[in-house]
């Protein structure tokens, strides 16, 4: 990320769903809201943007009264230090009218005089939990004709980056890769690495709270699977060799190993069996 963004007012956006493997990116927003005083400053209402069969409204009880919570994107203003004011956006990825949704997001950035927009995302990938998780830092205002970048399906962060860049904003998109063999449990390590990258962009030491401890617990739990599943251990060892080779600028080794998707099911079955054994032990 660029040095000049450090002293500016920055909007940070993360969206639940396809762009949010293991909730790693939206948990950055939740962490900041827990760590700092914040002010709820607005929302993008769900009507017209969400398929309520995909993002269902929630029923809750407040002081004995029933209340329906509709899907929406919410905005919060947070001061994290001198010269560093954030406008945080979080909500489910919309199902419809992405351009209009992003225009409303950009209007919020205009209203609160933001000059940089950073989107956060997380994706499943073939990477080992025993190494730092891969981080992709993509400047949204780069030449879109660059064929060395990503090609394929995109999510709402990419659209928001593109439209904001067209409107003259500095934009960055930061993504962390999550080991796909670990399933859908929250990944504190991914959240911690995104938070640290955001901290570097702001030039502010953001409070990490208990994220480092949770990240170590996540690694320890992942390592338990390797001790109980030889195929998974061999697969992760292969990923380690690939990661180390790439870190040294060499091509990783090739060979036939079980795929991450195949091993996800094995890992989930093992965790279920562990839960069943614990239930029987408690009886």
């Amino acid at each position: 990320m660029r040095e000049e963004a450090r002293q500016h007012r920055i909007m940070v956006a993360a969206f639940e769903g396809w762009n949010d493997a293991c909730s790693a990116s939206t948990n950055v927003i939740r962490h900041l809201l827990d760590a700092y005083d914040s002010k709820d400053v607005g929302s993008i209402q769900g009507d017209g943007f969400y398929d309520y069969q995909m993002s269902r409204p929630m029923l809750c009880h407040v002081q004995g009264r029933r209340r329906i919570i509709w899907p929406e994107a919410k905005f919060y203003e947070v001061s994290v230090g001198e010269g560093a004011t954030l406008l945080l956006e979080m909500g489910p990825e919309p199902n419809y009218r992405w351009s209009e949704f992003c225009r409303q997001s950009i209007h919020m950035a205009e209203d609160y005089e933001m000059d940089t927009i950073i989107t956060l995302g997380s994706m499943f990938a073939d990477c080992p939990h025993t190494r730092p998780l891969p981080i992709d830092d993509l400047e949204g205002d780069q030449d879109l004709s660059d064929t060395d970048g990503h090609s394929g399906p995109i999510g709402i962060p990419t659209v928001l980056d593109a439209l904001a860049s067209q409107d003259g904003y500095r934009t960055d998109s930061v993504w962390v890769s999550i080991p796909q063999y670990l399933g859908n449990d929250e990944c504190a390590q991914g959240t911690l690495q995104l938070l640290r990258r955001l901290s570097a962009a702001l030039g502010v030491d953001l409070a990490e709270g208990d994220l480092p401890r949770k990240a170590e617990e996540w690694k320890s739990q992942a390592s338990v699977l390797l001790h109980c599943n030889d195929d998974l251990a061999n697969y992760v060892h292969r990923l380690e060799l690939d990661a180390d080779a790439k870190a040294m600028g060499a091509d990783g080794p090739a060979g036939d190993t079980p795929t991450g998707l195949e091993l996800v099911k094995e890992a989930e079955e093992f965790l279920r069996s562990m839960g069943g054994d614990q239930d029987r032990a408690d009886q």
Side-chain angles (χ1 to χ4, degrees):
M1 293 184 184
R2 288 177 282 181
E3 293 285 328
E4 65 264 30
R6 292 187 175 184
Q7 296 302 317
H8 294 304
R9 298 169 62 85
I10 299 176
M11 187 172 94
V12 182
F15 301 95
E16 300 164 357
W18 185 81
N19 318 278
D20 191 32
C22 294
S23 302
S25 56
T26 53
N27 276 346
V28 173
I29 305 297
R30 296 185 183 96
H31 172 79
L32 291 171
L33 293 176
D34 287 339
Y36 298 95
D37 292 334
S38 63
K39 181 169 62 174
D40 186 337
V41 296
S43 65
I44 299 177
Q45 300 297 321
D47 284 349
F49 294 116
Y50 293 106
D51 179 345
Y52 292 140
Q53 290 183 325
M54 300 293 294
S55 301
R56 288 189 176 274
M58 300 294 292
L59 181 66
C60 66
H61 292 79
V62 179
Q63 297 180 342
R65 300 183 63 180
R66 293 193 303 173
R67 181 183 176 190
I68 296 177
I69 307 297
W70 297 91
E72 62 180 357
K74 300 202 71 173
F75 295 83
Y76 306 88
E77 189 176 35
V78 178
S79 177
V80 295
E82 184 177 355
T85 298
L86 303 181
L87 179 66
L88 305 178
E89 178 182 10
M90 181 176 66
E93 181 180 56
N95 302 100
Y96 310 115
R97 298 167 58 202
W98 281 15
S99 293
E100 174 60 25
F101 181 93
C102 291
R103 288 297 177 197
Q104 291 196 28
S105 296
I106 294 170
H107 288 160
M108 286 294 295
E110 292 173 353
D111 289 344
Y112 285 86
E113 299 181 340
M114 301 291 131
D115 47 43
T116 299
I117 295 178
I118 298 175
T119 58
L120 305 178
S122 51
M123 71 190 88
F124 289 113
D126 289 323
C127 58
H129 71 278
T130 53
R131 301 291 187 271
L133 301 179
I135 292 278
D136 289 319
D137 191 352
L138 309 173
E139 292 190 3
D141 53 355
Q142 64 187 351
D143 184 358
L144 294 179
S145 66
D146 180 8
T147 57
D148 292 332
H150 168 77
S151 296
I154 60 172
I156 197 71
T158 305
V159 179
L160 177 56
D161 289 337
L163 295 181
S165 179
Q166 290 174 11
D167 285 356
Y169 284 90
R170 287 187 293 271
T171 63
D172 285 296
S173 188
V174 186
W175 290 72
V176 63
S177 295
I178 308 294
Q180 62 178 335
Y181 58 84
L182 294 180
N184 291 311
D185 290 339
E186 291 187 359
C187 179
Q189 179 64 32
T191 298
L192 180 60
Q193 289 187 216
L194 285 175
L195 181 72
R196 287 175 174 172
R197 184 59 64 93
L198 181 60
S199 180
L202 296 173
V204 174
D205 292 328
L206 295 173
E208 295 183 356
D210 60 356
L211 273 179
R213 175 185 61 80
K214 290 182 176 179
E216 289 302 319
E217 291 177 353
W218 175 82
K219 292 178 184 177
S220 297
Q221 292 170 358
S223 294
V224 169
L225 294 177
L226 272 61
H227 292 299
C228 303
N229 187 318
D230 290 340
D231 285 341
L232 181 59
N234 291 333
Y235 172 70
V236 172
H237 178 62
R238 195 74 173 191
L239 294 179
E240 291 172 336
L241 294 177
D242 288 345
D244 293 343
K246 290 176 182 177
M248 294 185 296
D251 292 332
D256 293 329
T257 60
T259 67
L261 292 176
E262 290 170 348
L263 290 166
V264 166
K265 292 184 178 179
E266 292 186 26
E268 291 175 343
E269 289 174 1
F270 171 75
L271 290 174
R272 283 195 294 269
S273 69
M274 290 285 287
D277 291 343
Q278 183 62 48
D279 292 340
R280 287 190 290 273
D282 293 339
Q283 292 177 354

